[in-house]
Every structure is written in C-alpha cells, then in structure tokens.
Amino acid sequence: MDGVEKLVIQDKTYYLVGTNHISKESAELVKNVINEVRPGCVCVELDQKRYQKYTSPEEWAKTDIIKIIKQNKLVMLFSNIVYGVLQRKLAKEKGTIQAGELIQALESAENVGADIQLIDRDIQVTFKRMWRHLSFTQKPKLIMTFFSEFDDVLESDSFDNVFIQLSKKFPTIYDDMITERDKVMVTNLQKSKYDVNVVVVGKAHINGIKEKLKEEKNYDISELTSIPSKKLSSKLIEFIFPLTIILLLAVSFFSGVQVGFHQLLKWWVWNGGLAAIFTCFALPSPLTILTSLIMAPVGALSPVLSVGVFSALAEATVKKPTVRDFLTVQDDFLSIKTIYSNRLIKIGLVFLLSNLGGAIGNIIGGIGILNSLF
C-alpha cells in the first residue's frame, strides 16, 4: 500500500505507516493496514502524557497546576498546549481532527486485539532539549520566525514539515525534533516482543526509522531522554543581570544612605510598577496584581526565580482552573473572548505579562540608577 514500508529484521516484521497528523486519508490508511495485517502490536508516535490526553481527558484535566508552576514547568506545559492549538487549527482548516490517525491506530488496535506500544519521547523533554540547545540570540529569533511564518505553518500539509523548514535557520531543531526521536522510537521498537508490528509515525520519521532499524544498532538513549544542563552563556546571563542591579544599588548606598534608599525606591517603582501594570492586562485577581508589585524585585534579584512564578501561583491559588478549562484550552486559545474566560490560559498570561513588565522595569530602573551615579 502507498505510504507503507515493510521491513523484516531478524525474526520481526515491521509495517511502517507514514502519516500526516491532520489527514483524513492517513487515518483511513492506518485503519486499513491494521485490519489487513492484524499485528500483535501497534506502535504509535505517542508518549504517556499525550496518550493519556487522547484516551483519558478527565485525567489530563486533573493536572495539578500549582505543582507545575512550582516545578518550573509552566513554560513547557504551554509550549505543548500551543503546539496542540496549531495542530488543531490546521486540522480544522483541512476539515479533519487533530492526530486523527493516532486515535484511529489506538481504536483499530483494540478492535483487532493488538497490544499498544508508546514509542515516542516525552514531549516536554523534546521541547526542553530544543530550547536548551538554542543559543541566547537564537531563542528570540526562533519566536519571531515562527510567528512571521505563521501562515506558512497553517498551509503546510504536515506539521512535522514546520520543524524541517525551521531547521534551515536553526540546525539543532532538526536533531531535537526528528533525529533524536527517531533513535528513541527505534530503541523502543527493538524492545517489542511481537513478531508482527504496525508502526504509525509521521512521514518525517519514516526514512530515519527505516535506516536505523536496518542498521540493527543499539542506541544509548539515557542522554536523549534527559534534559541537558543550561549553556554556560545562559547561566552567566541569569546571574549578570541580578548582580548588576545589586552592585548599582550597593554603590548608591556608598554614596549615602538617603541616596541609596532613594535609588532603591525608584528602581522598585519601575520594576514592581511595570510588572503590576503588565499583569493587569491579563485581567487577573487583585491579589495577583499586588503579588506582581511586591514580588517583582525578588524575582529580579534572583537567578532562579521570576516575578511570573509568584504571580502565576497567586492566580492559580485564587482562581484554580476547572476541569472545563483544561478540556477546552486548545479551542479557547483561538478567541480573545474565551482566552480571558479560561483560567488556565489566564495563568499563562499572568506569567508572561508580569515577567515582561518586570524585565522592562528592571532595565529602565537600572539605567536610571546608572545615570544618577555617573
């Protein structure tokens, strides 16, 4: 069948089904292959979190958002949500459903009595590795490039192709999003105990998986399934800004206690004031705005914390997301009206806006101290 590659490696047979995540034809192909082959196992391009999201949405809706914020995983959570939003929007444009072929694979496997094996890497690990491998200057460029080419994203026939296109400007992205995951998926496929396996993955992974299966090489994926340490440049930048402000304030106090307190107050007004003002744009609770105002200096002087963490925790505590907020978050992202009615999205907005306001205030306040001293 078109789009299907059959591989026999030693005593195992693999039917590699290359799919498009927003194609109705791909879902039909997956259904036909599984019904015809009737494999012992259906291996799908999913990790445990995405599998649970598709099969047990009520469990996904029980996510402890406060725990996510405390573990500093809020950015990764929203990266995953935005990724899903774009897939869903693209699927709607094509008149299909998001990840329809993967859902079909799970249903067909159950119908023929086949086992299900999840072969992909944790999506949060993938995004974190991609982000960590980018340089300090590449990170803002990637965000700007992504939004400037948003129309091209929606017109693409495969969401995986987006990362292939981006890899021309950001070479590490292809390794993180495609090559590394190929190795992880091949390693998991080699562990299958079944003689006949149907493998359902995006078209972008077919050639890599086929070549690596033929090589019969054993990969050590322990490093590929872990989050790498931050680059030295990123660590230095995280410490440089707080240290610079502390040194400037210290010099101010050496000029006189009254001068020091005056500069400290002026810096706090800029830093905390702008953090609070920007937080207001998320239409949060008054407590959240107050938290941004008070905690912005703490976040600015800490290399590991940010005002966004404190503000997001305050908002999540006062207005905890409901089950509905989690279940409708992808659809709610597509409208200004529903963005502000969804508590989960609002927490993300609070985190983003308070950090943005605090950063701008920190820069303006720091420059103000510098000008007053020299």
Side-chain angles (χ1 to χ4, degrees):
M1 286 179 271
D2 291 338
V4 181
E5 302 236 15
K6 180 180 178 181
L7 281 182
V8 179
I9 308 294
Q10 294 185 0
D11 58 343
K12 294 180 182 178
T13 301
Y14 301 96
Y15 291 88
L16 306 181
V17 185
T19 66
N20 181 329
H21 295 319
I22 48 99
S23 167
K24 188 181 297 183
E25 289 75 19
S26 287
E28 193 65 26
L29 175 63
V30 167
K31 180 181 179 180
N32 292 338
V33 171
I34 294 175
N35 287 341
E36 182 175 328
V37 173
R38 304 188 78 81
C41 185
V42 174
C43 311
V44 291
E45 184 192 332
L46 286 174
D47 61 278
Q48 186 62 42
K49 289 186 178 69
R50 282 180 289 163
Y51 172 77
Q52 185 182 65
K53 188 174 178 180
Y54 291 133
T55 59
S56 304
E58 67 281 357
E59 291 301 316
W60 147 253
K62 294 177 184 176
T63 300
D64 187 344
I65 189 65
I66 292 179
K67 183 178 179 181
I68 292 291
I69 297 170
K70 288 181 177 179
Q71 292 178 342
N72 203 24
K73 293 181 179 180
L74 192 61
V75 173
M76 290 301 103
L77 173 66
F78 273 89
S79 297
N80 193 9
I81 290 172
V82 172
Y83 179 75
V85 168
L86 294 175
Q87 280 194 325
R88 178 166 293 194
K89 183 171 177 61
L90 184 55
K92 285 185 175 180
E93 295 273 339
K94 304 292 184 180
T96 60
I97 62 172
Q98 177 189 7
E101 89 289 4
L102 298 177
I103 295 172
Q104 181 63 63
L106 299 177
E107 291 178 357
S108 295
E110 184 177 354
N111 291 338
V112 301
D115 224 346
I116 295 171
Q117 184 181 8
L118 310 179
I119 60 174
D120 203 1
R121 179 171 65 187
D122 187 320
I123 189 66
Q124 292 191 19
V125 172
T126 295
F127 278 124
K128 196 77 171 181
R129 289 180 65 85
M130 180 189 74
W131 190 249
R132 288 279 172 89
H133 288 150
L134 293 171
S135 68
F136 179 73
T137 56
Q138 284 179 321
K139 290 175 181 177
K141 286 181 182 178
L142 173 63
I143 296 171
M144 294 303 296
T145 300
F146 191 81
F147 282 103
S148 65
E149 298 179 6
F150 187 74
D151 290 338
D152 293 335
V153 170
L154 294 183
E155 292 174 3
S156 174
D157 64 349
S158 171
F159 204 80
D160 286 332
N161 288 341
V162 174
F163 296 104
I164 296 175
Q165 294 168 16
L166 288 174
S167 68
K168 297 173 184 177
K169 296 180 180 179
F170 309 94
T172 58
I173 285 183
Y174 188 86
D175 286 338
D176 293 317
M177 298 302 299
I178 305 296
T179 305
E180 288 187 356
R181 290 169 64 203
D182 289 347
K183 292 178 181 179
V184 171
M185 288 192 278
V186 164
T187 299
N188 289 328
L189 287 173
Q190 291 170 335
K191 295 177 183 177
S192 174
K193 61 183 180 181
Y194 295 94
D195 296 332
V196 180
N197 304 270
V198 169
V199 184
V200 182
V201 295
K203 290 179 181 178
H205 295 286
I206 288 293
N207 288 335
I209 289 177
K210 181 173 65 174
E211 291 171 4
K212 290 173 176 59
L213 277 174
K214 286 181 177 179
E215 291 173 357
E216 298 185 50
K217 182 179 178 181
N218 294 319
Y219 295 98
D220 180 6
I221 62 170
S222 56
E223 191 276 330
L224 297 180
T225 53
S226 62
I227 298 173
S229 300
K230 291 182 179 180
K231 290 185 176 182
L232 179 60
S233 58
S234 297
K235 291 180 179 179
L236 288 175
I237 289 169
E238 287 178 351
F239 279 91
I240 285 174
F241 282 108
L243 283 176
T244 300
I245 296 297
I246 291 172
L247 286 173
L248 288 174
L249 290 172
V251 172
S252 297
F253 276 96
F254 274 117
S255 300
V257 175
Q258 187 175 356
V259 173
F261 275 112
H262 176 71
Q263 295 301 328
L264 177 62
L265 178 62
K266 190 163 67 172
W267 169 74
W268 176 76
V269 168
W270 277 113
N271 182 231
L274 283 183
I277 290 171
F278 273 61
T279 301
C280 288
F281 292 121
L283 304 182
S285 69
L287 178 62
T288 302
I289 298 170
L290 183 62
T291 300
S292 295
L293 178 65
I294 295 173
M295 300 306 295
V298 177
L301 298 179
S302 170
V304 294
L305 296 173
S306 70
V307 60
V309 170
F310 296 111
S311 303
L313 278 172
E315 184 67 15
T317 301
V318 175
K319 296 183 179 179
K320 187 175 181 180
T322 63
V323 169
R324 181 201 169 279
D325 291 323
F326 278 92
L327 295 180
T328 63
V329 63
Q330 292 185 344
D331 290 325
D332 289 345
F333 245 110
L334 302 177
S335 167
I336 294 295
K337 182 179 179 180
T338 50
I339 278 178
Y340 281 101
S341 65
N342 188 298
R343 293 184 177 186
L344 180 59
I345 298 176
K346 188 172 286 191
I347 289 169
L349 285 175
V350 164
F351 177 84
L352 175 65
L353 292 171
S354 59
N355 276 335
L356 180 60
I360 295 173
N362 202 26
I363 293 171
I364 295 175
I367 292 174
I369 298 174
L370 196 62
N371 289 336
S372 66
L373 292 174
F374 303 101

